[in-house]
Amino acid sequence: MIKIKDIEKTYSKNSVETKVLRGVTFSVQRGEYVAIMGASGSGKSTLMNIIGCLDRPTKGQYELDNINVLQLDDDAISALRNKKFGFVFQQFFLLERTNALDNVLLPLIYTDEYPADAIQQARKLLVNVGLGDRIEYFANELSGGQQQRVAIARSLINNPDVIIADEPTGNLDSESAAEIMKIFSRLHEERRTIIIVTHDRDVAGNAQRILELKDGQIKG
Amino acid sequence: MKITKNIALSCKLLSAHKLRTALCISSMTIGVAAVIIMVSLGRGTQKRILDMIHDMGTNLIVVNAGHVTLLGGRATQVTIATSLKIADADAIKSQCTSVVDAAPENRSKMNVQWGSENLKTDIAGVTPAAFRIRNIEIQKGREFDSVQNDAGQRVAIVGKVIVDKIFHGEDPVGYQIRIGGSYFEVVGVMKAKGIDANGVDRDDRILIPLKTAMHRLMRVTYIQKIHIQVADSTQLKSAETEIRELLRERHRLGDKPDDFTIQNQATLIRAERDSSRAMTLLIASVATISLVVGGIGILAVMLTVGRERRKEIGLRRAVGARRRDIRTQFLLESLIIAGLGGFFGVFLGTLSSFLASKIVDLPVVQSWDAMGAGLTLSFIIGLIFGIYPASKAATLEPIEALRTE
Ligand SMILES: Nc1ncnc2c1ncn2[C@@H]1O[C@H](COP(=O)(O)OP(=O)(O)OP(=O)(O)O)[C@@H](O)[C@H]1O
Ligand SMILES: [Mg+2]
């Protein structure tokens, strides 16, 4: 469902150009669980942001479900992010002063039609990630692992095609990380498409396929 | 994204950041209150001038004994002269061609007594001409006439304050009251006029015949003032010259300066207008400054908020918010702030201008359009100062926003 071809990304800062991605080509099938690994600074986040339509490549082609993503305007891309992707970030990115339930509901605010049973759905997702007793808690009243589980519940509320997780366990201890990975494995069993970036070999081991980013290209 | 959802979202966000919201709202409140006070004061000033014209009577010239200046719109005697006489008033009336009538007057604060009640009030000795020239109407009883005046009869026409405080609301006509050391018969009650533009209660007053006042109470041979009515407003200037020449001749001034002051209605009104204009200008500038400060307050808060909230904006964009949604959210926030600030401002402005009129005696008139103007203004400011931060927030790329530390 995801087809990426010859993607290049060049950052220019103070008129110094850095070519981070130099022709990345790969594709991901529906229901696949893919891990992307690579050294720090190798461009993993850059690639993930392009896949998640948070950023645009300098060059290359990107097809999502046969849609040429790079031709869409900003509104269409916003809608695409809303419907097709669920994001899980290393820094969780929850809204402060907002409880777990409202954080999970956030993506629904920006959908065309707000489902009537939104609150039940959100509660169910929170229960599924083991936070049934933390629904009314504010983000700052939750542990890192709990916050990341809220973020996962949030990424699922729109029933997305692809879950994009950039180092979801990077800020967590090994125990919390293991729980998070268990959730991802379960999501994989539910036939969701997952792309995960990690430094951790063990974490990557959960995936069906591991891609190695090196010198701006995919190896292996 | 529906507008109702948007409003709910903005309210939620505003209430989550109470201090920030309160700061914004209060700066808006102060600005709007200032505008309301300004408009009310402007209205009040206008009304004061109209009141003054009505109170004085039309086409009026006032001759004051001695030298008089205007202090805060009120004629205040600076030097006392004893040269102005009743005969001067008679001469003005009979000899000046443009003069219709002249009403000489002497007034003094004196003690009034009835039974065990006691009050210090303004005793005005007037001739019957004053009733017409100065728009004095009688509500009960009757005026006194020139026969009574010439005979120095002890009759009195009392104002409402006297009726209320001395007679406890009873009809006093026919009663005997003591003014100074003499008994007077109350023959009439003046129609209530209320507080004048200068804060003087026009009902706290007793009219008695001028001759009675001069001979029995004040024991003087001179008068303080003559109110003169001119036939036509175009003749005010020429009448003034005529009166001046006549009085100078009668007082044998030769090349000495005037021992009287002539004011005509036009100069009185101009003086009033000048003094109130200075006040209005002062308040207008204070109001403008506070409004701008209020607006900048909102701008500053919205901008810092924008910066502080880059991550939030990034996240919202990442989960599907369009630029338009972010913009609407920011705009709604500033409009809600402006609306609430405007509401409180209208309240505060109305209250404080009301208090100002009661305590410091500023001429204030409350009006709906002042409140409307205040509210509208707050929304306009909310829009103007909301649009910039809103569009700034909206142009942020999701990835830039998320990356900010
Ligand atoms: N906005 C930017 N402007 C300039 N250079 C950037 C920008 N974002 C990333 N880079 C550069 O691109 C390179 C790749 O960054 P990226 O964040 O994709 O790495 P990464 O593989 O995710 O690293 P890590 O494992 O440490 O997260 C880095 O050298 C970084 O300095
Ligand atoms: Mg990274």
Side-chain angles (χ1 to χ4, degrees), chain A residues 52-53 56 64 67-85 110 112, chain B residues 317 320-325:
Chain A
C53 298
R56 282 170 188 263
L64 178 70
I67 304 168
N68 186 348
V69 172
L70 302 180
Q71 274 179 350
L72 299 176
D73 67 8
D74 194 75
D75 279 6
I77 287 187
S78 300
L80 208 64
R81 282 199 294 267
N82 185 250
K83 285 196 200 71
K84 301 255 181 191
F85 294 105
Y110 302 104
D112 297 334
Chain B
R317 296 275 284 131
R322 296 163 300 177
R323 289 186 198 285
R324 169 161 16 127
D325 296 325

Side-chain angles (χ1 to χ4, degrees), chain A residues 11 20 39-46 167 199, chain B residues 403:
Chain A
Y11 288 114
V20 179
S40 183
S42 58
K44 303 182 296 294
S45 295
T46 304
E167 303 201 39
H199 276 116
Chain B
R403 272 216 198 96

Side-chain angles (χ1 to χ4, degrees), chain A residues 11 46 49 53-55 74-75 78-79 81-82 87 89 91-97 102-103 106-107 109-112 114 154 158, chain B residues 1-2 5 9 12-13 16-18 311-312 314-326 329 397-399 402-405:
Chain A
Y11 288 114
T46 304
N49 292 334
C53 298
L54 292 168
D55 203 359
D74 194 75
D75 279 6
S78 300
R81 282 199 294 267
N82 185 250
F87 293 96
F89 302 98
Q91 305 94 319
F92 324 136
F93 288 139
L94 298 185
L95 291 182
E96 301 163 35
R97 302 174 206 236
D102 282 335
N103 265 295
L106 184 70
I109 295 180
Y110 302 104
T111 51
D112 297 334
Y114 194 81
R154 179 183 65 198
N158 266 349
Chain B
M1 189 177 179
K2 291 217 182 66
K5 271 224 99 50
L9 175 71
K12 225 175 204 174
L13 283 165
H17 300 269
K18 291 194 178 60
K311 275 214 181 94
E312 179 201 327
L315 174 67
R316 287 177 187 279
R317 296 275 284 131
V319 300
R322 296 163 300 177
R323 289 186 198 285
R324 169 161 16 127
D325 296 325
I326 301 291
Q329 184 191 323
E397 288 293 340
I399 193 62
L402 280 176
R403 272 216 198 96
T404 42
E405 280 313 314

Side-chain angles (χ1 to χ4, degrees), chain B residues 80-98:
Chain B
I80 295 167
T82 56
S83 53
L84 200 64
K85 304 283 161 81
I86 294 181
D88 288 328
D90 293 339
I92 289 168
K93 188 185 170 184
S94 56
Q95 289 173 38
C96 297
T97 49
S98 48

Side-chain angles (χ1 to χ4, degrees), chain B residues 127-142:
Chain B
T127 62
F131 293 110
R132 274 181 310 97
I133 296 183
R134 310 220 54 206
N135 293 326
I136 298 166
E137 288 175 73
I138 304 295
Q139 191 187 27
K140 262 189 217 127
R142 55 189 162 76

